[in-house]
Every structure is written in structure tokens, then in C-alpha cells.
Amino acid sequence: MATMADVARLAGVSVSTVSYALSGTRPISLSTRRRIEQAMTDLGYTPNAFARGLKSKRSRIIALLFPARPETSQRSALEYVLGASDQARRRGYHLMLWTHDVEAVDDLAQFAGQGLVDGALLMEVQPHDPRIQVLVDAGVPFAMIGHNADPEGLDFIDSDFGQIAGLAVHHLVGMGHRRMAFVGGPETGGPDGGRPEIREEETGAPETIGAVSGWVGTDGAADGSRVENAIQRAATSTGSEFVSVPAERSADGGREAFTRLMAKAPETTVIIVFNEHAVPGIMRAAKDLGRRIPEDLSMMSIDMPGHVAELTTPPLTTVGASAVEIGRGAVDLLLRRLDGDMAPARQLLFRGELNLRGSCAPVLNADHTPGETLT
Amino acid sequence: MATMADVARLAGVSVSTVSYALSGTRPISLSTRRRIEQAMTDLGYTPNAFARGLKSKRSRIIALLFPARPETSQRSALEYVLGASDQARRRGYHLMLWTHDVEAVDDLAQFAGQGLVDGALLMEVQPHDPRIQVLVDAGVPFAMIGHNADPEGLDFIDSDFGQIAGLAVHHLVGMGHRRMAFVGGPETGGPDGGRPEIREEETGAPETIGAVSGWVGTDGAADGSRVENAIQRAATSTGSEFVSVPAERSADGGREAFTRLMAKAPETTVIIVFNEHAVPGIMRAAKDLGRRIPEDLSMMSIDMPGHVAELTTPPLTTVGASAVEIGRGAVDLLLRRLDGDMAPARQLLFRGELNLRGSCAPVLNADHTPGETLT
DNA sequence: CTGAAAGCGCTTACAG
DNA sequence: CTGAAAGCGCTTACAG
């Protein structure tokens, strides 16, 4: 590989001149610039990333911290990753994928201390995420996809679950639904499922950028519980009944949850699911009980990629924000910090959209009295 | 951040001694080693990756070259990525995700010239993949996931489509199927679909490692066509009829393909699909025609992740090799090169497995004569 | 068993 | 508008 010294020699200038020509940080005469450019093409010169990083303290590499076990990946995860990767490239950065155990904090500290990355993006942020303190201690700037319990002063981008819940519930109410159920992950399930108390602190100033809406507060809960709370609030505000049933992340988990749901609230007219892996089990259990979707029971899925939602029969109506766009937005948020912006933390909520497919239908007998059986 | 000089000062030794203590490349007295270790913990020292990379010419970073558009990602792609990322970590390497346009070869040349990565992994390798020459020219070692038309001398790992096709066809024949159809991507479709001629060159020595079987030759075709050819060979060797219909990668593409298939070979008893996005369209079109799956028509999907196959009704029987394992294997293949192994190229085929779900059933009227209608 | 020193390939004050 | 030189934080012959 040609070095900068090679280029300088061939162009008949000093190394520093080549460097300045490359960075454009000081004026170079046209003829000199031409000779340098010619020499660079002739030699096929590419600056050495390590020498550059050693001197300038900037690597132009950002890390994507992805707490995944290869076997149990969420399906929209790829979209976050590709969105972030694509945007990083557009903005001249490399993206390092760092899959890890959320609890393996020592490894992270070491990684952060290497100075390899200029900043980090955190996926699947937990309410009390141990990674945050590690990054703060290491002085590595970061932005979160999702957020922790107390995100004050921290940059993040998240789905606007309040808006998304409103969108979902409004659509369903318009179809006559008044008895709604929510199936989330094992961490959900309301009081008997260990949901943390709702704290409605109105912190920070709302902001709206593009498809992004303002941040107004946190309830300190994990994703699933936040979605659950948002749906519950939206549902009860319309006078609808609401029940929540947790489910393991598997088809069997879905079956089981459906059984519990039928025991608890047999009159349910719509199930809103935030647990991709439980979907097949729920749909099969419903079928086994003779509940046709959507005629007898509507179903809606939150944050499910469109091509996945197409696979079920009927295809699932979904609601959610674009994972690709959130991935992109996270990169922009981080690079704003890396570019030295000292402004206060920016907390962005990304608006979702409703994608109508075939799994929601009007309630036929909207005002049937409790006690009747729908089947 | 503490530097090696800080550690040396605190431990009362020279910088070189600290360096040797860290690398273990020369004997250090126990007491010295102790003092150095103490100093490192006290200072929270982590070696600077850039200084190290500049001097040693090794970054311990490998790139995963992923020619993806964020919007149209294959579902098993995440599994390759996570498998590779996980294995890289285990082996002490970082994984840089490089999503790019397959044709944007200039960008790749620049990337490769930076000396940032020690090697690269290529996903979605094309028959005449322009990336290969770029990497060879840049002197960047690489391993392929999949392979090009002429992989002689190149390391790769791929699904053993011959074995996979045999597994699939054998299972189907055992159920009485004798009229098989294949639906692949737009690049498939046999002679009228532009399939390259089959060249059966027996190159290289077969090898078997773990779940990996030996490589015996290439037909110089893209993935889809190779799968198609493998299925065709397996089918005709059992005396079965075989037709192939290409499909666009979308639900509509699937519908359309199904219509063409019914015009071409209405007696078909099983469809083998290698085109995830076409699946919903095929299934709905079949249903519209009154063809029940699996009673009237069996279906099998190649290389579809299990949790995805669970979503359809009935869940899909699948056949294929583990994408996670192939991702891991690719890393091992590359690191073997990076560790200076000068042995000849290693070409590995990964065996697939059959996952029975509910979409394949015995043919009821196995010996019906042409002219009868199954519906 | 340990140290002094060169040098990896850049960037960036300093000087003109 | 351009150059000579220091230095980023390591690794690794060279010397003892």
C-alpha cells in the first residue's frame, strides 16, 4: 500500500502538504493540488485509517450495541441494524456491530476503552441498563434506541407509543370495538404481571422533527410495559374495557396466553399483540376455539415488519414506527454529538403508522350484553 | 485514558516491558508482572487499538460485506449476521458491518485500502461478483458465504443444496409426490427463465467437518438457480415430473407465479419454494382456487427461519442449513487464513435439515392419470 | 529478565 | 501558499 510519503515524493511536495490537500484545511495552489491528486490516483493511495485515528483521536467508527442471542432475534432487529448501517455510510462513518450479553459489562468497558469507536448506539435499552454507566465512565458518547427509566440528559430516539396506541385504539373504536386485550412479552400483564407503577413526569420540551414527535415523559418501564400502558390509557380513555395477558416468546406461549385470555375476558373482540413469537400460537388457539379472524375476533400487531405480517392468514393489520427510519435517526442523533454539538440532550419520538391488512373487522354485534357468547 | 507510559511509570518499569507483559511474548519475572498488572487495574488501562493497529498491521477487525437495501432484506440475513458477529467476538475479533451496493466497487476499493480490516466476509455472492477482484487487488483476505461461478482457490462456505434437495425430494417421494414444482426468484425458471447451462466440473477434494459436507463442483449459477438445478436433478432422478416457475420477490409475484404454474402443470402435487417474499401470494392464490394446503397441495420452503415458517397456516415444512451456523463457519474460515494458514482453499458445504411442520401431506390419489382434476 | 530507541503513517501547531 | 518536525501510543528488533 502506498503511503502519504510516497504520494509526497511523487508529487514533489512535503507530506504535510499532501495531508492538507486531503483534508482541505488550508489553501493549496491549483498546480500543487493537481500534482498531488495525480500522484494519489497513480499510486491508488488510500489513507491509513490507523495512523489517522491515532493522531486525530477520531476513528469515524461507531458501534451498534446489540444485546442479542443469535437464536432468539426479533424480526424487526435487522431493520434497525440496516437503517443504522446505511445512514452511517451515508455520513462517512463505519458501523461496528457489537453483539453481546447485556450483563457482560466488563467486556463493554474494555471495548469502550480501546478508543476504537467515536460513539455508540444502544439497542434494546432496559429500564436500568448497566451499559449506560459504562459508556459514561469511558467517556464514549452514545445515543439510545428506546430509553431507560431516567433518560434525563441522554440522547435517544424511540417509537412514539402514545401516538401509536392512540392510532390503534381509535381505529378499533371506529369499528365498534369496546373490549380490547393486549398480549405482550413475559414482562407485561398489568398488576398481576409485575408492571411497574406509572410515573407521569413531564420532563423536557416536546419537539417535532419530520415524522418525529415530541417527548413528554417516561414511566420507567421496559418497552413491553410502556406499550401496554399506552394501549391501556388509550383504551380506557375511550371507555373501552382492557385486559392484559403476558406471553412467553414462542408459539406455545401464545396458545397459553390465549387460553388465559378466554378465561379472563371471553367477550374480547380484539387482541393487540406486541410479541411476534406468540402470534402463531394465538391465531391457532383462536381457530381451535372456532373464533374466526377477523369475523369473530380482530387482531392487530405492533412493530411487525410488513413482509412478516403478510404471512399470516389473514395478513395482519399492523401499527408501528419504521425500524429502518429509527435506525437512521439514531445515527443522526449520535453524529450530532460527535460533531461537537453541546446542545442539551435530544429526545425524539418517532410517529407510527397504521397498515391496514385483513385482520381487523367491525364488531357485528357491537352492543351485545355480557353473558352472551360470540362463538 | 491511561496510556502504556502511565502504566510503566506507575509500575516502575519501561514501556517495552509493559508491552511484553501484555502480549506474553517474552518472559517477565513474577514480581514485575504483578506490579504491572496492579498498575493496569489501578489505572483502568486498556490498550489503544489504533496505536496497536498502526504498529502491528493487524486490527483484529473483520468486515461483513452485506449487499442489502434496507427495505428488501431477506429474513435469514439477520441470522448470518448474528452468527458471524457472535463467532467473531468469541475469537477476539470485531465485526464491521458494511452494507453496500454490489456494484459500488470503488467504495469497496477505498474501504479495503484503508487497512482498517484484516479480512472480509462476503454475503450474497453473485456468479460474477465484482467484489472478489477488488479484494484480491487490495490484498485483503476473504471468505465467501455462498460462492461465485469459478471459486477455485477461494475459501467459501455454502449450503449443501445437493444434499438439501435430496432430503426434500426423498421426503416428498415417500409421500407419493411425483409432480413437483419449484418457485424461485426472478433469476430462476429453467431454459425459458434464462438458467445458465449446467457445468458439472468435479473440482477439489470433498471434505466433511461436523455438519459440513464436501464440495464437489459448481454449476456457475446464482443461488436460486443452483437450488433449482439441485431440486430438478433430485426430482428427475426419482422419475418425478418437474416444472420451475420464477417469481418476483413479493406477494403479488407469488400469486402470479402460482397462476402460471397452474396453467403449465395443473397436476402439480407439491410446490417447493425458494423465495420467501412470494410465499404469502402463492398460499393465497392456492386458497382462492380451492386448493387446500396440505390436503390438495403440499408446500415446502427452503432456507426459511423456523419462527417465520410458524406464521403461515398451516406452518411450513422447511428444509435448509442453519444460517447462524454458516455465519459462524464463515468466520472460522476467514480466521484460519488470517492466522497465516497457507493451506489450499477450503470449500465447505453445510448440510441442511428437514423441519416437519404441517404443509406437506401424502398424495391421496397418487396414481391418478393425467386429465383428472384434483380440485 | 529488562531497557532505550526506532518507527508504524498520519495530523497539526510552528515557522517562513 | 508551503515545509520541517513533533508526536499520537503502541510493537519489536537490538543491546545488555
Side-chain angles (χ1 to χ4, degrees):
Chain A
M1 282 288 95
T3 70
M4 197 172 261
D6 297 329
V7 175
R9 205 171 305 123
L10 188 61
V13 295
S14 72
V15 191
S16 51
T17 302
V18 176
S19 176
Y20 285 117
L22 211 52
S23 65
T25 40
R26 87 179 182 190
I28 307 280
S29 76
L30 188 61
S31 70
T32 308
R33 177 180 302 280
R34 285 245 178 79
R35 288 206 314 285
I36 290 174
E37 277 163 3
Q38 188 59 50
M40 292 202 295
T41 11
D42 289 355
L43 295 169
Y45 173 72
T46 314
N48 179 288
F50 285 100
R52 183 172 268 185
L54 179 58
K55 201 48 196 153
S56 66
K57 308 289 179 206
R58 289 200 59 176
S59 63
R60 307 217 127 234
I61 303 174
I62 58 179
L64 180 61
L65 269 40
F66 185 176
R69 301 125 312 259
E71 284 69 28
T72 64
S73 53
Q74 303 293 323
R75 258 158 264 160
S76 56
L78 181 61
E79 304 197 345
Y80 288 119
V81 173
L82 293 181
S85 173
D86 193 62
Q87 186 67 5
R89 258 185 66 66
R90 280 168 196 271
R91 301 210 38 189
Y93 275 76
H94 295 304
L95 207 250
M96 189 161 269
L97 184 64
W98 175 259
T99 49
H100 65 283
D101 204 312
V102 210
E103 300 304 328
V105 163
D106 288 349
D107 284 1
L108 178 60
Q110 203 155 325
F111 177 62
Q114 284 183 107
L116 233 194
V117 300
D118 290 344
L121 257 27
L122 273 66
M123 278 179 70
E124 294 186 26
V125 179
Q126 312 291 318
H128 301 283
D129 201 305
R131 297 175 294 177
I132 293 172
Q133 194 56 48
V134 173
L135 293 173
V136 170
D137 289 347
V140 174
F142 65 94
M144 302 182 282
I145 296 176
H147 64 84
N148 62 336
D150 179 19
E152 182 154 355
L154 302 179
D155 291 302
F156 74 78
I157 184 166
D158 200 353
S159 294
D160 187 344
F161 287 128
Q163 177 262 344
I164 287 169
L167 207 56
V169 167
H170 182 259
H171 177 65
L172 295 170
V173 164
M175 287 178 151
H177 293 277
R178 292 292 183 282
R179 298 166 192 273
M180 306 180 184
F182 175 83
V183 177
E187 78 280 11
T188 63
D192 45 57
R195 178 181 51 186
E197 216 174 296
I198 299 171
R199 300 183 294 127
E200 288 232 31
E201 350 160 358
E202 303 260 337
T203 64
E207 51 174 316
T208 307
I209 290 112
V212 163
S213 49
W215 165 246
V216 287
T218 171
D219 53 22
D223 264 29
S225 301
R226 288 192 289 122
V227 173
E228 177 185 19
N229 292 344
I231 299 276
Q232 172 160 33
R233 267 177 251 162
T236 52
S237 80
T238 63
S240 300
E241 288 177 20
F242 176 88
V243 300
S244 176
V245 176
E248 294 300 320
R249 296 193 203 284
S250 68
D252 282 347
R255 285 204 98 97
E256 213 188 356
F258 186 80
T259 307
R260 269 180 285 121
L261 174 61
M262 286 302 104
K264 205 167 164 184
E267 315 281 342
T268 295
T269 62
V270 57
I271 304 180
I272 301 165
V273 187
F274 185 65
N275 178 337
E276 297 176 349
H277 296 87
V279 166
I282 295 172
M283 294 185 81
R284 278 179 225 145
K287 192 178 190 182
D288 291 351
L289 241 74
R291 298 275 227 140
R292 291 166 305 166
I293 297 174
E295 294 83 351
D296 307 322
L297 181 66
S298 289
M299 220 172 134
M300 187 183 275
S301 185
I302 298 176
D303 270 4
M304 180 178 263
H307 53 269
V308 175
E310 285 290 343
L311 283 168
T312 58
T313 309
L316 290 172
T317 289
T318 58
V319 61
S322 159
V324 170
E325 292 304 323
I326 289 178
R328 288 192 205 282
V331 168
D332 288 336
L333 216 49
L334 177 60
L335 295 195
R336 168 173 162 274
R337 278 273 168 258
L338 300 190
D339 290 343
D341 193 331
M342 287 291 109
R346 204 147 163 198
Q347 308 189 325
L348 305 176
L349 295 186
F350 213 91
R351 287 184 181 284
E353 286 177 8
L354 193 60
N355 289 286
L356 302 180
R357 295 197 180 81
S359 64
C360 293
V363 177
L364 288 182
N365 182 13
D367 48 9
H368 74 280
T369 52
E372 289 181 15
T373 309
L374 280 179
T375 351
Chain B
M1 282 290 94
T3 69
M4 197 173 263
D6 297 330
V7 176
R9 206 171 304 122
L10 188 60
V13 296
S14 72
V15 190
S16 50
T17 302
V18 177
S19 176
Y20 285 117
L22 212 51
S23 66
T25 39
R26 89 178 181 190
I28 308 281
S29 76
L30 189 60
S31 71
T32 309
R33 176 179 303 279
R34 286 245 178 79
R35 288 206 314 284
I36 291 174
E37 276 163 5
Q38 188 58 51
M40 293 202 296
T41 12
D42 288 356
L43 294 168
Y45 172 72
T46 314
N48 180 289
F50 284 100
R52 181 172 269 187
L54 178 57
K55 201 49 196 155
S56 66
K57 308 292 180 204
R58 289 200 57 176
S59 63
R60 306 217 127 231
I61 303 174
I62 58 178
L64 180 61
L65 270 40
F66 185 176
R69 302 127 311 263
E71 284 69 28
T72 65
S73 54
Q74 303 294 321
R75 259 157 262 157
S76 55
L78 180 60
E79 304 197 345
Y80 288 119
V81 174
L82 293 182
S85 173
D86 193 60
Q87 186 67 4
R89 259 183 66 65
R90 280 169 197 271
R91 303 213 32 192
Y93 275 75
H94 296 303
L95 207 250
M96 188 161 269
L97 184 65
W98 175 258
T99 49
H100 64 284
D101 204 310
V102 209
E103 300 304 327
V105 163
D106 289 350
D107 283 2
L108 178 61
Q110 204 156 324
F111 177 62
Q114 285 182 108
L116 234 193
V117 299
D118 290 342
L121 257 27
L122 273 67
M123 277 179 70
E124 294 186 27
V125 179
Q126 312 291 319
H128 300 283
D129 200 305
R131 297 174 295 177
I132 293 172
Q133 194 56 49
V134 174
L135 292 174
V136 170
D137 289 348
V140 174
F142 64 93
M144 303 183 282
I145 296 177
H147 64 86
N148 63 335
D150 179 19
E152 183 155 353
L154 302 179
D155 291 301
F156 75 77
I157 185 167
D158 200 354
S159 295
D160 187 344
F161 287 128
Q163 176 262 344
I164 288 168
L167 207 56
V169 167
H170 182 260
H171 177 66
L172 295 170
V173 164
M175 288 178 149
H177 293 279
R178 292 292 183 283
R179 299 165 191 273
M180 306 181 183
F182 176 83
V183 177
E187 77 281 10
T188 64
D192 46 57
R195 177 181 51 183
E197 215 174 295
I198 299 173
R199 299 184 294 127
E200 288 232 34
E201 348 158 0
E202 302 261 337
T203 64
E207 51 174 318
T208 307
I209 290 114
V212 162
S213 49
W215 164 247
V216 286
T218 171
D219 52 21
D223 264 28
S225 302
R226 288 191 291 122
V227 173
E228 178 185 19
N229 292 344
I231 299 276
Q232 172 160 34
R233 267 176 253 162
T236 53
S237 81
T238 63
S240 300
E241 287 177 21
F242 177 88
V243 300
S244 177
V245 176
E248 294 299 320
R249 295 193 203 287
S250 67
D252 283 348
R255 286 203 99 95
E256 214 188 353
F258 186 82
T259 307
R260 270 179 286 123
L261 174 61
M262 286 301 104
K264 206 168 164 184
E267 314 283 342
T268 294
T269 61
V270 57
I271 304 180
I272 302 166
V273 187
F274 185 65
N275 178 337
E276 298 176 351
H277 297 88
V279 166
I282 295 172
M283 295 186 80
R284 278 179 225 145
K287 191 178 190 179
D288 291 352
L289 241 73
R291 298 274 227 140
R292 292 165 304 165
I293 297 173
E295 294 84 350
D296 307 322
L297 182 67
S298 288
M299 221 171 133
M300 188 184 275
S301 185
I302 298 177
D303 270 4
M304 179 178 264
H307 53 269
V308 175
E310 285 289 343
L311 283 168
T312 59
T313 308
L316 290 172
T317 289
T318 59
V319 61
S322 159
V324 170
E325 292 303 323
I326 289 178
R328 288 190 204 283
V331 169
D332 288 336
L333 216 48
L334 176 60
L335 295 195
R336 168 174 161 273
R337 277 273 168 258
L338 300 190
D339 289 343
D341 192 332
M342 287 293 110
R346 203 148 164 198
Q347 308 189 326
L348 305 177
L349 296 186
F350 213 90
R351 289 185 179 283
E353 286 176 8
L354 193 60
N355 289 286
L356 303 179
R357 294 198 180 80
S359 65
C360 293
V363 177
L364 287 183
N365 182 14
D367 49 8
H368 74 279
T369 52
E372 290 180 15
T373 307
L374 282 181
T375 354

